[in-house]
Amino acid sequence: MEHTFCTPRSLRTACTPWVAIAGTVLPRKLSKFSCPPSRRRTIVGKAWSESITELEDFWKTRVKEDKIQHMLSATSGIYRKLEKTGRARYSPVEIAARVDRISPLMGLNPLDVAFTVERAPELIDIPPIEFVESLMIIRRALPAGVDPSRIVLLEPRLLTTEGVEYHIAGCLAELRALLPEACVCWLVQEEPKLLLGVSLMRQEQLKQTIEAYSECIEEIEATKDAVNIPKLRMWFENVFINYY
C-alpha cells in the first residue's frame, strides 16, 4: 500500500517528489508529456547562456552601457514568461529585436517597452501595422491631451482588447457623469485600467471622494484650462488616484 512518509533532508529538497512503496523510496512516475522542472530549467538556461553574448552586442548599439544589464534582465523575463505559457518560439535575440521594433512605435525607450512586454507577452506577436493601428485607435478614443504611450505602458492589455474604442467610450461616459473633463483626463492618465471597465467598487470610491471634496471639484470645473494647471492636478492625484 502506497503512503507518504517523512524522507531525509536530502530527499525532501530534491525536485522530484518521493513516496514509499513497501519500504522502498521511489520517485513518483511522471507523465509522459511532462518535462521535469530541473530539465526545463536546463533547457531555458542553455538557450539563454548561448545567446547572452549576442544579446549584449545587440543592446550595446541601442542603449546606454549602464542600461545593458537591465535590458538583459527584461529580455530574460519575457523569454521565461513565454516559455512558461508554452509560447517560447522566439530566441532571446529575436525577442530583443521585436522589443526594439516596438519601441519607436510606442514612442518609449526600449527598457520601458521591455518591462511592458514582460507584463503582456502577447504584444510580441503583434505585427507592426496592427500595433500602429491599435495605438491610433486608442489615441483617437482618448480625450485630448492624454498621452496614449503612457496609457499603454501602464495598461498594455488595451492594445490587444477587441473593440477597445467602445470600452474607452463607455468608461469616459461613466466618468464624465461624475467628474469635470480635466479630472477625467487626469484619472484615466494615471489609472488606465479603468478604460477596460470601471468596477462598481471603484465607482463607489469615486462617488464618496467626490462628495467629500465637492467644493474642490466645483472649483476645478469652474477654472479655465484646469487640465494644464500642475497645482490642481497634483491635488487631484493625491486625493483620487489608486496607483498601480
Side-chain angles (χ1 to χ4, degrees):
M1 178 178 178
E2 180 178 316
H3 62 280
T4 305
F5 77 116
C6 185
T7 61
R9 179 181 295 274
S10 60
L11 295 181
R12 291 203 304 272
T13 56
C15 292
T16 307
W18 295 80
V19 296
I21 302 177
T24 304
V25 177
L26 294 173
R28 293 188 190 275
K29 184 179 179 180
L30 292 169
S31 164
K32 65 179 180 179
F33 299 108
S34 67
C35 178
S38 58
R39 176 60 179 157
R40 288 199 298 270
R41 286 193 294 270
T42 302
I43 294 170
V44 175
K46 183 179 180 181
W48 183 256
S49 62
E50 289 176 348
S51 304
I52 190 72
T53 302
E54 191 177 353
L55 268 175
E56 286 180 340
D57 292 339
F58 180 90
W59 286 123
K60 278 179 182 177
T61 62
R62 291 165 172 81
V63 298
K64 294 180 180 180
E65 187 174 353
D66 62 340
K67 301 294 184 184
I68 291 175
Q69 290 304 315
H70 295 293
M71 291 307 307
L72 294 177
S73 175
T75 307
S76 172
I78 298 169
Y79 185 85
R80 292 178 182 276
K81 193 80 170 280
L82 290 170
E83 194 275 339
K84 185 177 180 181
T85 56
R87 293 167 30 221
R89 56 182 174 273
Y90 305 114
S91 70
V93 176
E94 288 173 329
I95 290 173
R98 285 173 176 264
V99 168
D100 187 59
R101 182 189 67 188
I102 292 172
S103 179
L105 300 179
M106 291 182 68
L108 299 169
N109 67 70
L111 185 58
D112 284 340
V113 172
F115 284 122
T116 300
V117 174
E118 186 177 357
R119 298 201 325 274
E122 60 271 18
L123 297 183
I124 212 80
D125 293 323
I126 302 178
I129 293 178
E130 291 183 16
F131 196 100
V132 172
E133 287 175 349
S134 297
L135 201 57
M136 291 302 296
I137 289 171
I138 294 170
R139 184 188 299 274
R140 287 194 296 267
L142 290 172
V146 175
D147 181 7
S149 295
R150 176 174 171 79
I151 292 289
V152 297
L153 175 67
L154 294 175
E155 191 49 77
R157 292 179 299 167
L158 288 165
L159 287 165
T160 56
T161 299
E162 188 174 350
V164 66
E165 64 270 35
Y166 301 112
H167 288 277
I168 294 175
C171 164
L172 295 178
E174 290 183 47
L175 295 179
R176 284 167 174 155
L178 300 173
L179 292 161
E181 185 67 14
C183 297
V184 171
C185 292
W186 297 330
L187 187 59
V188 298
Q189 184 82 62
E190 299 301 328
E191 283 189 66
K193 62 183 176 183
L194 296 177
L195 296 171
L196 292 173
V198 184
S199 68
L200 293 176
M201 180 181 294
R202 189 67 180 111
Q203 285 184 29
E204 190 60 33
Q205 288 176 341
L206 288 171
K207 289 176 181 178
Q208 290 176 2
T209 310
I210 291 168
E211 185 177 352
Y213 295 94
S214 58
E215 292 183 5
C216 299
I217 295 298
E218 290 172 4
E219 183 179 342
I220 291 174
E221 189 169 15
T223 302
K224 185 178 180 181
D225 200 30
V227 71
N228 294 317
I229 300 178
K231 183 178 179 180
L232 294 179
R233 176 169 182 165
M234 186 178 300
W235 173 85
F236 181 84
E237 290 178 357
N238 286 337
V239 173
F240 278 84
I241 303 301
N242 282 347
Y243 283 102
Y244 279 56

